[in-house]
């Protein structure tokens, strides 16, 4: 019995070390800690902005428009942002984008606290933040490849997703309390202050210990080159298709969940915060499970896309708030597994000089699809309710998984071994 207990402890210790191995790298740890503080504020702002738009407009479509404006620049300019990221110092680029994001949050806080805010101002600042993400998103994801060795990419990405979703767990709950008890502007002000943490973390990163990758030279046609590169690799192409469909119609939580809280379950901002926090709790669990993985495959992405589809359909049928909160945890697990596996597959499958453009393409289909998906799902919810939005998410993800199944079967099948050339002595 004692031996069995010792083996169990040994396996638990080994699993913990495997799950958190990237934190042993000093540069990654500095970036991770700073990001952990900042991301909670970011999620506070997202919830506060959604509720502010709903309060100013009383329109589900306005929610979709605000979300669309924030991600429209990525759709239009994302590929060129990736070209730029392949050419410049990624650490310095992130420092600039994070500082500008802090200024935009501070401006929105000032407008709300002075009672001067109107809907068009929220739209304008959302668009400004969207312009920042054109550089920020591909730079942050590509920067992780400079912080750790390739064998730790999946772990580093998963831990990055863990802290992102831990922020989703804490930030929305705090934002709901602040909105209900203080003022929606307080959430924006706290977010502005939180960017100091990630800036300090980036300053403390030691440039000499980074795993620098060759920078792309300036030449014409680099954006088109990135498109051709992703299209000519079947596994990358299938991965992009799954991400595009799931992001377009399946991940419009900022449109669906406020309506689910208010119209379906008769709650206020605190209920919206609970639903988003439950989604974040599941995402943390899913990210930790992903961090313990030794490898990833396109097949595992396909399986988790199917799980994501099934859980959305279950969520659409949840009869009450309690069950909906439990299902949101499951949805968070499936959602983060799809996202983490997709990003890791793209990083591992792309050459070093193409990583910025490949991750920018991911940003286009992941974030840039929101300008289309947000209003579409907003209209669906306006016509048939929030549950219809969840049904659309589940059905579309399931169909996408079936569509790429034949292609991934061909990728998964081993190629016939080539005969070895004869040797002469």
């Amino acid at each position: 019995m004692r031996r069995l207990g010792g083996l169990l402890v040994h396996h638990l210790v080994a699993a913990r070390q495997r799950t958190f191995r990237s934190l042993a790298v000093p540069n990654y740890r500095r970036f991770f800690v700073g990001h952990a503080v900042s991301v909670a504020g970011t999620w506070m702002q997202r919830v506060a902005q959604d509720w502010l738009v709903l309060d100013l407009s009383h329109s589900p479509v306005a929610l979709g428009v605000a979300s669309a404006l924030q991600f429209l620049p990525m759709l239009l300019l994302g590929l060129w942002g990736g070209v730029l990221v392949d050419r410049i110092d990624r650490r310095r680029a992130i420092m600039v984008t994070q500082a500008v994001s802090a200024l935009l949050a501070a401006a929105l806080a000032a407008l709300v606290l002075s009672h001067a805010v109107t809907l068009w101002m929220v739209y304008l600042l959302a668009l400004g933040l969207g312009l920042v993400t054109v550089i920020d998103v591909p730079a942050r994801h590509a920067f992780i490849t400079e912080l750790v060795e390739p064998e730790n990419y999946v772990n580093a990405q998963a831990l990055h997703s863990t802290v992102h979703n831990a922020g989703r767990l804490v930030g929305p709950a705090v934002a709901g309390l602040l909105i209900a008890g203080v003022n929606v502007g307080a959430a924006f002000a706290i977010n502005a202050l939180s960017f100091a943490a990630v800036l300090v973390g980036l300053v403390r990163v030691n440039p000499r210990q980074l795993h620098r990758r060759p920078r792309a030279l300036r030449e014409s046609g680099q954006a088109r080159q990135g498109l051709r590169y992703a299209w000519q690799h079947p596994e990358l192409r299938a991965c992009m298709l799954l991400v595009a469909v799931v992001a377009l119609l399946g991940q419009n939580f900022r449109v669906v969940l406020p309506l689910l809280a208010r119209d379906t379950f008769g709650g206020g901002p605190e209920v919206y915060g609970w639903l988003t926090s439950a989604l974040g709790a599941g995402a943390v669990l899913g990210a930790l499970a992903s961090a313990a993985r030794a490898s990833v495959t396109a097949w595992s992405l396909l399986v988790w896309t199917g799980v994501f589809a099934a859980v959305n359909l279950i969520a659409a049928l949840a009869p009450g708030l309690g069950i909906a909160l439990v299902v949101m945890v499951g949805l968070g697990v499936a959602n983060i597994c799809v996202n983490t596996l997709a990003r890791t597959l793209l990083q591992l499958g792309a050459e070093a000089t193409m990583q910025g453009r490949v991750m920018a393409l991911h940003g286009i289909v992941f974030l840039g699809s929101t300008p289309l998906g947000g209003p579409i799902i907003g209209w669906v919810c306006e016509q048939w309710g929030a549950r219809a939005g969840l049904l659309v998410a589940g059905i579309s993800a399931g169909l996408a998984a079936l569509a790429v199944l034949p292609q991934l079967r061909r990728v998964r099948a081993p190629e016939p071994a080539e005969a070895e050339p004869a040797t002469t002595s």
Side-chain angles (χ1 to χ4, degrees), residues 68-137:
L69 286 171
Q70 189 166 330
F71 299 111
L72 182 63
M74 178 60 76
L75 178 64
L76 300 178
L77 305 172
L79 192 55
W80 285 269
V83 170
L84 187 59
V85 166
D86 279 335
R87 294 176 180 171
I88 63 178
D89 185 303
R90 294 165 181 173
R91 172 174 163 267
R92 292 180 179 176
I94 300 168
M95 293 175 72
V96 172
T97 58
Q98 295 293 294
V100 175
S101 297
L103 293 174
L104 292 172
L108 189 52
L111 288 169
V112 173
L113 293 173
S114 64
H115 305 288
V117 68
T118 59
L119 186 60
W120 72 265
M121 295 176 183
V122 181
Y123 283 167
L124 183 63
L125 289 169
L127 180 62
L129 188 58
L131 291 170
V132 174
T133 63
V134 170
I135 303 297
D136 185 69
V137 169

Side-chain angles (χ1 to χ4, degrees), residues 362-388:
H362 172 269
I364 290 171
V365 298
F366 183 68
L367 299 176
S369 59
T370 304
L372 303 174
I376 290 171
I377 297 300
W379 179 82
V380 168
C381 292
E382 192 171 68
Q383 299 299 312
W384 298 288
R387 294 184 189 275

Side-chain angles (χ1 to χ4, degrees), residues 306-329:
V307 174
F308 176 83
V311 178
N312 266 288
L313 296 177
I314 294 171
L317 302 175
L321 178 59
I323 294 176
L325 289 171
V326 173
V327 178
M328 282 298 131
V329 174

Side-chain angles (χ1 to χ4, degrees), residues 22 71 82 117 154 253 258 274 279 311 333 342 366-367 374-375 382 402 408 416 419:
S22 292
F71 299 111
V117 68
V154 60
F253 304 121
W274 296 343
L279 194 71
V311 178
V333 172
F366 183 68
L367 299 176
E382 192 171 68
L402 290 174
L408 290 182

Side-chain angles (χ1 to χ4, degrees), residues 302-354:
L302 180 67
V303 170
W304 275 107
T305 304
V307 174
F308 176 83
V311 178
N312 266 288
L313 296 177
I314 294 171
L317 302 175
L321 178 59
I323 294 176
L325 289 171
V326 173
V327 178
M328 282 298 131
V329 174
L331 184 56
V333 172
N335 182 54
I336 200 60
C337 286
V338 170
N339 294 341
T340 301
L341 290 171
R343 281 196 299 268
T344 306
L345 283 168
L346 292 171
Q347 285 182 327
L348 290 172
E351 297 174 6
T353 56
M354 299 295 296

Side-chain angles (χ1 to χ4, degrees), residues 161-162 165 168 278-288 328-329 332-333 335-336:
S161 296
T162 301
N165 289 284
R168 177 185 282 180
L279 194 71
V284 170
L285 295 175
L288 289 173
M328 282 298 131
V329 174
V333 172
N335 182 54
I336 200 60

